[in-house]
């Protein structure tokens, strides 16, 4: 193309500009358009080699690059037109065009094939999706047991025999409806010795048999073939193009999104691919997803050089045959067959098996840890996850730190399986998160799928990172556990919380996910796990929409819905704890889910048990939880008094006074520490007195799980020591709301007030893009920009009910925040600004210089304000005669004065301006 442009455009500068605009335009705007067809660099098409399955999506990459190669040849041939080598040859132009047409036509054919491949996939997905929707609300049977016998046929896929026992738990007769991958051909379905006729509609199998209420039926299904991956993840919501391109991507490397494998030497199936028949499909579109718990047994006949991996106890009768047995029902099984090596260590009484590609053993060899030390670290990790009590001691022989674990403690995060298997999977394997799933999508009933060579995991190798080698292999191994198994796609907590039971309800969708949050029994302070911005977005949404609307809102991302569900789960927990003691409710949760382990339980059973054991009627709580879009607003204050000296080094007699004013007309729940949960009616003001003699902690706080107050946790650390009894009685009582009334005549304008605006200078390109409403995904999706003002939340910032401030990295002063305040009573005023930073301190502790300007209607005053640790919370900007309006500008320029200040943390904070009238 460069040769063609330079030949037809005589000006070299213009030709360079044309080529530059083309390269920049295709690079920025071409990604994601028509499946990356207009991205000449193929940045988002996987081009990696996997030791398991070879090149990932090689066909797509070669097609894409061949298209550009042929187009380049065509343009190169066309560039010959400007050369008049044979001026008397009248056929020169025709010959050149003829030669150019051949690669052009061939590239057009390949473009049609390239696009047609994606169109075919999308057409199949839409067809399967319609079949799902057609039978989504049809009553389903349940699979009690499923005995699967699978033979690996290599390139031809698999041949399977499935012996199922199904039951109709509904109150009416219903037909037998099965789901199976549409790529698998069903050879026959038998009920005993009777062959049953059936009809296939994509993944749906309509069996010609009716099942009466309460009856069971034995079916034998024989099928074979290669699975069709297009049936996977049909319930996944549509995401923007740029966001879709970044799925399963690390840095500049795009791994791909393959949900399953059925190739010659490698098989990997998850329940999502429907590789075995089931009555309850894993795909759901209406958030009324159900879960079926089945007793599985699996026999895999495979090549002698391969290893079969699945859930359950492994029994090897002979080489080439692997049998998996289950002692209890589980929600689904996965299968992986390929060339693997295995290492086994013990975690308590549970064997931890690590399966990896034979040439990747060096990843484990880099952790030079003795087996006993490794098992000790795994036991510590397991006990921390299960929230068990631990006490430490020094072993006299090994001189190592050892732990004792309390096994008597009821742990609602107890690991439910007798196996834990880590499986290295190909680079492009990617199970998409479900719309109603919180996390842990690479975790499936005791199996954890790790990416090949841990390339997208937080892996720290001391062998290849000498700077970290001094910390030792033990530290590296702890980092690997903590950074990969406690959050994200490999979050093992999902197996400790929601994979061994399921509470379902048609009236209250996603109630299971809400209850999962209550299973995580933190003694106090669950809201501390929220990032303030995530909490603000969740509360801002819930102040306008109810939970039921949020569940069905396709515009909400999975992360935003996750935080909304998490907040609602904590609200439900808090509301129940206002009616029953926290310990009693925690015991109920543990007992209930222990009793109904590995079962699908209807919500009415949970509600009935809760009413019988705790006296709490859940039916009076859930309607408002799901349908209310109004949030309370609180004003809070707290004080702590220590009566007398410490009883001993850690114990004291303390009184905590919490004052709560609910300004709204809807009730709200709060939690105090120490103390408990309290329901505050609308327009009421309460004082809560708590006497604590168990500790001498300086920290106490108020949490507002569901309110418009951001941040929702108010912490206090000050303490007053008195030596006489205060005459206070524990309990809650009404007080006058005048306690919170502010009669100050000062004018305070916060950063979120409409009178405060961010003023930014824009480049000509930004002006053009905004003028013509051009949205470039690559630019609009950037999470952070060091040159933009961001908003932060902190309890030390000014504001009500949202305590926020703007901040950004210090600049040159071209970006600023401007307050414009109209004055109704002219006169002399003293101006102040709120002196804060990003810490929890009441004021900024850095020595720095801030830059302001003040315009009082006649003159402009430029100010340099020096701040140090002795500066007040409100710092004066001077006294001014104000007539009708005053403007205050704070610039993004800031100078740190201390030689100990870290320049990389030089952030400018903009909060509030206060005007105090000076009386003459």
């Amino acid at each position: 193309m460069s040769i063609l442009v330079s030949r037809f455009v005589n000006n070299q500068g213009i030709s360079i500009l044309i080529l530059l605009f083309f390269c920049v335009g295709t690079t920025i705007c071409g990604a994601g358009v028509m499946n990356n067809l207009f991205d000449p660099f193929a940045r988002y098409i996987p081009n990696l080699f996997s030791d398991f399955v070879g090149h990932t999506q090689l066909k797509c990459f070669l097609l894409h690059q061949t298209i550009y190669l042929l187009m380049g040849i065509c343009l190169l041939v066309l560039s010959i037109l400007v050369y008049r080598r044979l001026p008397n040859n009248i056929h020169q132009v025709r010959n050149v065009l003829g030669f150019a047409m051949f690669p052009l036509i061939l590239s057009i054919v390949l473009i049609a094939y390239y696009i047609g491949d994606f169109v075919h996939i999308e057409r199949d997905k839409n067809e399967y999706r319609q079949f799902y929707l057609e039978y989504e609300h049809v009553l389903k049977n349940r699979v009690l047991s499923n005995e699967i016998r699978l033979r690996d046929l290599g390139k031809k896929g698999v041949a399977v025999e499935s012996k199922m026992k199904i039951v109709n738990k509904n109150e009416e007769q219903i037909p037998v409806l099965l789901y199976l991958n549409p790529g698998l051909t069903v050879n026959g379905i038998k009920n005993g010795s009777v062959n049953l006729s059936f009809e296939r509609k994509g993944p749906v199998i309509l069996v010609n048999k009716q099942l009466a209420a309460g009856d069971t039926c034995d079916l034998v299904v024989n099928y074979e073939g290669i699975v069709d991956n297009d049936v996977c993840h049909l319930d996944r919501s549509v995401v923007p193009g740029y966001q879709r391109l970044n799925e399963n991507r690390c840095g500049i490397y795009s791994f791909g999104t393959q949900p399953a494998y059925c190739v010659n030497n490698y098989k990997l199936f998850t329940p999502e691919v429907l590789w075995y028949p089931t009555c309850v499909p894993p795909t759901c579109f209406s958030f009324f997803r159900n879960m079926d718990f089945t007793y599985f047994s699996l026999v895999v006949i495979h090549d002698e050089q391969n290893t079969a991996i699945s859930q359950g106890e492994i029994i090897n009768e002979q080489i080439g045959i692997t049998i998996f047995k289950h002692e209890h029902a589980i929600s689904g099984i996965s299968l992986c067959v390929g060339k693997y090596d295995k290492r086994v260590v013990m975690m308590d009484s549970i064997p931890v098996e690590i399966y990896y590609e034979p040439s990747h053993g060096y990843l484990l060899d880099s952790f030079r840890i003795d087996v006993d030390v490794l098992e000790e670290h795994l036991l510590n990790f397991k006990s921390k996850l299960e929230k068990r009590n631990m006490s430490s001691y020094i072993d006299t022989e090994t001189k190592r730190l050892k732990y004792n674990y309390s096994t008597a403690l009821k742990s609602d995060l107890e690991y439910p399986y007798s196996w834990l298997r880590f499986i290295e999977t190909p680079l492009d394997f990617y199970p998409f998160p479900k719309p109603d799933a919180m996390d842990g999508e690479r975790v499936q009933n005791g199996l954890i799928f790790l990416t090949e060579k841990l390339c997208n995991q937080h892996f720290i190798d001391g062998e290849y990172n000498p700077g970290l080698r001094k910390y030792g292999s033990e530290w590296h191994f702890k980092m690997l556990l903590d950074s990969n198994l406690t959050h994200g796609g490999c979050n093992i907590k999902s197996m400790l919380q929601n994979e061994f039971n399921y509470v379902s309800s048609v009236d209250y969708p996603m109630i299971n996910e809400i209850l999962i949050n209550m299973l995580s029994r933190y003694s106090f302070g669950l809201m501390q796990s929220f990032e303030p911005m995530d909490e603000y977005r969740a509360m801002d949404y819930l102040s306008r929409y109810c939970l039921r609307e949020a569940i069905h809102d396709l515009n909400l991302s999975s992360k935003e819905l996750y935080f909304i569900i998490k907040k609602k789960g904590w609200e439900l927990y808090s509301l129940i704890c206002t009616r029953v003691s926290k310990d009693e409710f925690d015991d109920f949760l543990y007992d209930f889910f222990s009793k109904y382990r590995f079962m699908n339980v209807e919500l009415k059973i949970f509600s009935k048990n809760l009413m019988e054991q705790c006296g709490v009627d859940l039916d009076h709580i859930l309607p408002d939880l799901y349908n209310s879009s109004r949030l309370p607003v609180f004003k809070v204050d707290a004080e702590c008094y220590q009566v007398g000296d410490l009883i001993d080094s850690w114990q004291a007699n303390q009184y905590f006074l919490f004052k709560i004013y609910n300004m709204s007309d809807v009730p709200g729940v709060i939690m105090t520490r120490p103390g408990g949960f309290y329901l505050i009616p609308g327009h009421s003001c309460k004082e809560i007195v708590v006497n604590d003699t168990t500790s001498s902690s300086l920290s106490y706080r108020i949490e507002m799980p569901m309110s418009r107050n951001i941040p929702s946790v108010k912490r206090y650390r000050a303490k007053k020591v008195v030596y006489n009894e205060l005459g206070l009685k524990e309990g809650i009582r009404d007080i006058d709301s005048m306690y919170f009334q502010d009669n100050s005549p000062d004018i305070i304008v916060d950063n979120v007030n409409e009178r405060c605006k961010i003023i930014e200078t824009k480049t000509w390109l930004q002006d053009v893009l905004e003028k013509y409403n051009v949205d470039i995904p690559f630019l609009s999706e950037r999470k952070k920009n060091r040159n933009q003002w961001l908003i932060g939340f902190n309890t030390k910032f000014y504001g009500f009910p949202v305590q926020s401030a703007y901040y950004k990295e210090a600049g040159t002063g071209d970006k600023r925040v401007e307050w414009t305040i109209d004055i109704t009573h002219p006169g002399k005023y003293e101006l102040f600004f709120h002196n804060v930073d990003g810490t929890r301190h009441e004021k900024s502790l850095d020595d720095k210089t801030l830059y302001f300007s003040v315009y009082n209607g006649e003159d402009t005053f430029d100010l340099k304000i020096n701040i140090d640790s002795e500066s007040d919370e409100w710092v004066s900007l001077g006294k001014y005669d104000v007539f009708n309006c005053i403007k205050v500008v704070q610039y993004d320029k800031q100078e740190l004065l201390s030689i100990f200040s870290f320049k990389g943390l030089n952030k400018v904070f903009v909060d509030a301006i206060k005007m105090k009238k000076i009386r003459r």
Side-chain angles (χ1 to χ4, degrees), residues 5-272:
V5 172
S6 61
R7 294 293 180 260
F8 279 90
V9 180
N10 295 326
N11 190 302
Q12 185 178 10
I14 295 178
S15 63
I16 292 176
L17 286 176
I18 294 174
L19 293 172
L20 182 63
F21 275 111
F22 175 80
C23 292
V24 172
T26 54
T27 300
I28 295 178
C29 305
V33 178
M34 296 183 67
N35 298 293
N36 304 296
L37 180 62
F38 292 97
D39 181 13
F41 303 105
R43 293 168 298 150
Y44 296 95
I45 299 178
N47 180 28
L48 299 172
F49 185 85
S50 169
D51 292 331
F52 289 99
V53 295
H55 280 282
T56 60
Q57 301 185 25
L58 180 62
K59 172 186 171 183
C60 180
F61 179 79
L62 290 180
L63 268 177
H64 185 277
Q65 294 302 291
T66 304
I67 289 170
Y68 276 91
L69 174 63
L70 293 173
M71 293 297 294
I73 294 174
C74 176
L75 295 177
L76 182 63
V77 174
L78 290 176
S79 65
I80 302 176
L81 289 175
V82 297
Y83 294 100
R84 301 294 180 180
R85 296 174 59 250
L86 299 175
N88 296 324
N89 187 353
I90 61 176
H91 302 295
Q92 178 187 359
V93 174
R94 184 179 61 186
N95 292 339
V96 171
L97 291 177
F99 280 116
M101 288 300 293
F102 177 74
L104 177 62
I105 293 174
L106 188 57
S107 64
I108 292 175
V109 172
L110 292 181
I111 289 174
Y113 183 74
Y114 179 87
I115 298 175
D117 203 11
F118 288 100
V119 171
H120 176 73
I121 293 174
E122 193 60 34
R123 185 182 64 223
D124 288 346
K125 284 182 173 290
N126 289 331
E127 182 181 354
Y128 299 154
R129 192 177 288 114
Q130 291 303 317
F131 289 136
Y132 265 118
L133 292 171
E134 183 179 350
Y135 295 96
E136 182 175 18
H137 298 292
V138 175
L139 294 177
K140 307 293 194 306
N141 297 297
R142 300 287 178 171
V143 182
L144 296 178
S145 64
N146 196 345
E147 299 178 8
I148 303 172
R149 186 178 182 87
L150 180 144
R151 180 185 294 274
D152 187 355
L153 301 180
K155 293 181 180 180
K156 296 182 180 179
V158 293
V160 188
E161 179 186 70
S162 173
K163 298 180 179 180
M164 309 168 60
K165 179 181 286 294
I166 64 176
V167 61
N168 179 9
K169 294 185 177 182
N170 301 285
E171 298 178 353
E172 59 184 88
Q173 178 177 292
I174 60 174
V176 175
L177 191 70
L178 301 179
Y179 290 85
L180 185 67
N181 190 285
L184 299 172
T185 302
V186 178
N187 297 325
I189 300 177
K190 289 185 177 182
N191 176 215
S193 60
V194 180
N195 289 318
L196 300 177
S197 60
F198 60 89
E199 179 185 359
R200 295 208 68 174
K201 293 185 176 181
V204 181
I205 302 177
L206 303 173
V207 183
N208 186 19
K209 182 176 178 58
Q210 298 288 325
L211 200 59
D215 283 359
T216 61
C217 174
D218 293 324
L219 296 178
V220 179
V221 184
N222 289 283
Y223 55 94
E224 63 182 2
I226 300 175
V227 298
D228 185 357
N229 291 344
D230 295 343
V231 78
C232 299
H233 311 296
L234 299 178
D235 52 354
R236 180 170 163 264
S237 59
V238 179
V239 296
Y242 186 80
Q243 182 178 342
R244 183 177 66 252
L245 295 175
N246 285 280
E247 289 173 328
N248 200 24
R249 183 178 176 85
C250 183
I252 63 173
Y253 301 105
S254 181
F255 298 136
T257 54
Q258 191 81 351
Y261 300 87
C262 191
V263 295
N264 184 24
N265 294 317
Y266 193 80
K267 306 289 189 298
L268 176 57
F269 305 140
T270 62
E272 183 72 30

Side-chain angles (χ1 to χ4, degrees), residues 313-549:
E313 181 184 356
I314 301 177
I315 302 174
N316 286 320
E317 291 184 343
Q318 61 188 54
I319 298 177
I321 299 179
T322 306
I323 303 175
F324 299 90
K325 294 291 185 180
H326 291 262
E327 297 180 353
H328 54 76
I330 59 176
S331 59
I333 60 173
S334 303
L335 175 64
C336 181
V337 181
K339 290 181 173 62
Y340 281 98
D341 282 349
K342 179 177 74 170
R343 295 191 187 183
V344 182
V345 294
M346 298 301 295
M347 182 177 67
D348 201 358
S349 60
I350 301 173
V352 178
E353 303 170 8
I354 305 172
Y355 293 87
Y356 57 93
E357 206 275 338
S359 63
H360 298 168
Y362 65 90
L363 291 172
L364 296 177
D365 293 336
S366 63
F367 297 105
R368 297 181 178 88
I369 310 175
D370 295 335
V371 175
D372 58 338
V373 177
L374 182 64
E375 293 180 354
E376 181 182 338
H377 286 318
L378 289 172
L379 177 59
N380 296 344
F381 178 74
K382 176 177 179 289
S383 300
K384 289 178 181 178
L385 287 178
E386 294 180 345
K387 301 297 178 182
R388 294 189 181 275
N389 289 335
M390 294 186 295
S391 60
S392 60
Y393 66 96
I394 301 295
D395 187 87
T396 56
E397 296 181 0
T398 62
K399 306 300 181 182
R400 292 181 56 83
L401 186 66
K402 298 286 186 177
Y403 296 90
N404 284 326
Y405 304 95
S406 170
T407 57
L409 175 68
K410 289 183 176 181
S411 175
D412 43 59
L413 297 177
E414 183 177 356
Y415 186 77
Y417 306 109
S418 59
W419 66 86
L420 178 58
R421 297 182 179 122
F422 294 85
I423 307 173
E424 186 184 12
T425 59
L427 286 169
D428 57 340
F429 175 67
Y430 186 71
F432 288 97
K434 290 184 178 297
D436 58 346
M438 298 298 99
D439 53 16
E441 283 300 303
R442 299 186 72 89
V443 178
Q444 310 227 358
N445 291 322
L447 300 184
I448 298 180
F449 298 118
L450 299 176
T451 306
E452 186 173 346
K453 298 181 183 178
L454 300 177
C455 54
N456 67 344
Q457 309 295 313
H458 299 281
F459 180 68
I460 302 175
D461 189 353
E463 183 71 21
Y464 300 101
N465 194 338
L468 298 175
R469 194 179 302 167
K470 61 182 180 180
Y471 294 103
S473 295
E474 293 185 34
W475 182 81
H476 297 147
F477 183 74
K478 290 180 181 179
M479 289 294 296
L480 179 64
L481 291 177
D482 294 338
S483 61
N484 292 292
L485 301 184
T486 58
H487 64 278
C490 293
N491 185 1
I492 198 174
K493 290 181 180 179
S494 63
M495 287 194 294
L496 278 64
Q497 293 176 314
N498 66 328
E499 288 198 353
F500 53 87
N501 43 49
Y502 193 87
V503 179
S504 60
S505 172
V506 175
D507 297 326
Y508 299 105
M510 297 190 73
I511 186 62
N512 184 72
E513 284 67 31
I514 293 176
L515 296 179
I516 286 171
N517 288 280
M518 298 200 303
L519 284 175
S520 303
R521 285 191 304 132
Y522 300 96
S523 58
F524 283 99
L526 183 62
M527 302 314 299
Q528 296 182 80
S529 61
F530 277 90
E531 289 294 332
M533 179 55 74
D534 295 325
E535 184 180 19
Y536 171 75
R537 288 170 178 163
M539 291 298 94
D540 180 64
Y541 186 93
L542 290 175
S543 65
R544 295 175 285 117
Y545 305 99
C546 66
L547 173 61
R548 196 176 298 275
E549 293 173 312

Side-chain angles (χ1 to χ4, degrees), residues 559-601:
K559 181 181 178 181
E560 291 170 328
L561 182 60
Y562 165 74
F563 283 108
I564 290 174
I565 293 295
K566 194 172 183 180
K567 289 285 286 187
K568 282 294 183 178
W570 185 230
E571 181 191 16
L572 178 59
Y573 184 87
S574 304
L575 288 170
I576 294 176
C577 288
T578 61
R579 294 163 168 83
V580 64
S581 70
K582 179 181 179 299
D583 292 338
E584 185 178 352
F585 181 55
D586 287 343
D587 289 341
F588 163 77
L589 287 176
Y590 176 81
D591 294 337
F592 179 85
F593 287 106
S594 297
K595 178 181 179 181
Y596 293 96
R597 175 163 291 193
F598 301 110
M599 295 179 63
N600 189 314
V601 186

Side-chain angles (χ1 to χ4, degrees), residues 686-735:
K686 303 287 185 179
E687 182 183 67
I688 302 168
V689 179
V690 178
N691 182 217
D692 181 22
T693 59
T694 60
S695 68
S696 61
S697 173
L698 294 176
S699 176
Y700 54 104
R701 63 175 177 264
I702 300 174
E703 297 193 14
M704 297 155 280
M706 186 61 64
S707 72
R708 292 168 58 188
N709 298 76
I710 304 294
S712 61
V713 181
K714 292 280 290 184
R715 298 176 178 85
Y716 304 88
R717 297 189 64 86
K719 176 184 292 186
K720 300 177 182 179
V721 180
V722 297
Y723 293 96
N724 298 317
E725 289 293 335
L726 298 175
L728 297 174
K729 293 183 179 181
E730 280 194 288
I732 181 171
R733 66 183 183 90
D734 292 322
I735 61 173

